Amino acid sequence: MQRTLALLLAFACTALLLLREQRRFVLATRPGDSAALEAYCGAPPQGSEGNLTADGLKLVGVLVTIRHGDRSSIHSLPNTNTTARWVCRPVGSEQKQAAAQVAVVGLDGSPLYRPLLPRTLPGRHGDCAPGQLTPRGFAQHVALGRHLGRSFAPLLREAAAERRANSSRVGVYVRSTDYTRTQMSAAAFLYGLLPPTLRPPLAPPTRIHTCADEAVEVVHGVGLAASSKVGSEDGGGETERQGACALAGSLARAQQAAWRGDDGARDELGGLFGEEARAMPPTHVADALHSLSCHGMPRPCSQGGCVSAALAASFGRMGDSAYCAWCGNFGSSRSSRAISGKSSGASRVHIGRSRVI
């Protein structure tokens, strides 16, 4: 069997995994516990990837699914007297190189123009626009790529040899949602992962495949699909639409209707920032609060006081619970059975021959 490497990088724009990590973080730390905070924000990649546990087996393909790296917040609380600030520019030389070594294309392979460097706010001297990959987020994925590059070095060498023998062979397949932060995360990961023989100038730029039509992007889900692409911005808010599977969508709505959060935490938030804040989805509040954590920024304040560590922890737990309950793709066995076999596009991948179904 022809051996190759197929890497599918599915950068889904759901926040389930991140919120689960936030939950573990806020439950395990106390105010002032900077060591635990750094362990969460800058944890070194580790693991035993690439080690086969049985004799007679040979690794012929790898599937990697990851989220984007650390980003600026998409949501913010109203009526605060503080302004959060993430700095995205100027970018470093490694980030520029990483962006130059990839090419974004449509699912049919047609070229798409996508500037991968983070967008900034007008007149704010390099401050990140909402939902942009931060320098910390870029470094996280370079480190992860280097870790996995060491783990899968024999497979990567084999992919490079196949490429030299047959330039039409594509040993690395990359799939991303159509967001600056996810595509730049893919580029960062590849920059760390790929050896020089699989990067320019010794090889063509690695193509990142994306679906330019947000309305039919299956990576966001086939039940209820969430999107943070509002207007021309890819972090300008959040919308929800019905995906390709009506049954999964109806089950997710039923889960939403049945879910109950922490009314005490909502009341406390409303007492600080008003009824608009109290009515915000808990996942939006969690985003507004916990995206500050890794940048040393204080929690939001109003004239009535500041968000306490306990209140932030409550919304971390509530956001985690909400995603588990709301997302029909995750929280319901009936939904899982309903969507089985119905996803399209690049949601299924045969590993080992770079064949995408």
Side-chain angles (χ1 to χ4, degrees):
M1 177 171 55
Q2 186 176 18
R3 300 182 181 95
T4 185
L5 170 66
L7 292 174
L8 172 70
L9 309 179
F11 295 89
C13 290
T14 67
L16 175 66
L17 297 180
L18 180 60
L19 284 167
R20 282 178 174 168
E21 290 303 314
Q22 287 170 343
R23 179 188 183 191
R24 284 192 284 268
F25 164 65
V26 297
L27 289 177
T29 60
R30 298 178 299 275
D33 193 348
S34 59
L37 178 63
E38 184 56 32
Y40 165 75
C41 299
Q46 55 187 339
S48 57
E49 294 85 2
N51 295 332
L52 301 179
T53 58
D55 294 335
L57 297 179
K58 180 174 178 59
L59 186 65
V60 297
V62 175
L63 173 65
V64 179
T65 305
I66 59 177
R67 278 183 51 81
H68 57 73
D70 178 79
R71 61 161 173 80
S72 55
S73 71
I74 292 173
H75 305 284
S76 59
L77 296 176
N79 305 316
T80 65
N81 56 18
T82 54
T83 300
R85 178 175 180 262
W86 294 263
V87 178
C88 282
R89 300 288 185 103
V91 299
S93 59
E94 278 198 327
Q95 191 165 352
K96 292 178 181 177
Q97 292 174 38
Q101 292 180 0
V102 299
V104 180
V105 300
L107 297 182
D108 61 357
S110 57
L112 296 174
Y113 173 70
R114 296 292 186 271
L116 298 188
L117 299 182
R119 303 180 187 190
T120 56
L121 294 171
R124 290 280 293 273
H125 307 292
D127 287 8
C128 305
Q132 299 302 299
L133 189 73
T134 66
R136 180 186 285 273
F138 173 78
Q140 286 169 342
H141 274 304
V142 172
L144 179 62
R146 286 173 176 157
H147 168 68
L148 294 182
R150 290 189 293 269
S151 299
F152 300 121
L155 199 57
L156 289 163
R157 287 194 295 269
E158 199 168 291
E162 286 187 0
R163 179 86 190 189
R164 288 193 299 271
N166 183 355
S167 60
S168 66
R169 292 294 301 171
V170 179
V172 179
Y173 179 87
V174 185
R175 173 74 162 88
S176 171
T177 50
D178 195 17
Y179 292 83
T180 304
R181 62 181 176 270
T182 57
Q183 292 163 0
M184 189 67 244
S185 293
F189 180 79
L190 293 167
Y191 184 78
L193 175 79
L194 299 180
T197 50
L198 285 174
R199 289 191 277 135
L202 299 180
T206 303
R207 300 201 302 176
I208 299 175
H209 297 76
T210 193
C211 179
D213 186 353
E214 185 82 351
V216 298
E217 173 60 275
V218 297
V219 177
H220 295 317
V222 296
L224 292 183
S227 168
S228 62
K229 184 167 285 190
V230 177
S232 61
E233 299 298 324
D234 56 17
E238 193 165 352
T239 59
E240 189 177 79
R241 61 175 172 80
Q242 171 61 57
C245 180
L247 176 57
S250 66
L251 291 170
R253 287 189 200 88
Q255 290 169 313
Q256 288 180 345
W259 181 81
R260 294 292 181 269
D262 183 343
D263 287 338
R266 285 188 172 123
D267 291 342
E268 185 177 347
L269 190 76
L272 290 172
F273 303 104
E275 184 57 31
E276 182 183 352
R278 189 190 186 285
M280 286 176 66
T283 51
H284 294 190
V285 178
D287 172 61
L289 295 177
H290 293 293
S291 56
L292 308 172
S293 301
C294 291
H295 297 269
M297 287 186 274
R299 289 182 291 272
C301 297
S302 70
Q303 291 183 347
C306 299
V307 173
S308 66
L311 184 60
S314 294
F315 274 97
R317 290 190 295 269
M318 209 188 318
D320 186 38
S321 171
Y323 264 111
C324 289
W326 290 2
C327 296
N329 291 3
F330 302 106
S332 165
S333 59
R334 289 184 64 200
S335 281
S336 298
R337 289 193 297 270
I339 67 175
S340 177
K342 294 195 174 187
S343 299
S344 58
S347 58
R348 294 183 185 176
V349 179
H350 282 231
I351 306 301
R353 287 188 171 273
S354 300
R355 184 160 63 95
V356 180
I357 303 300

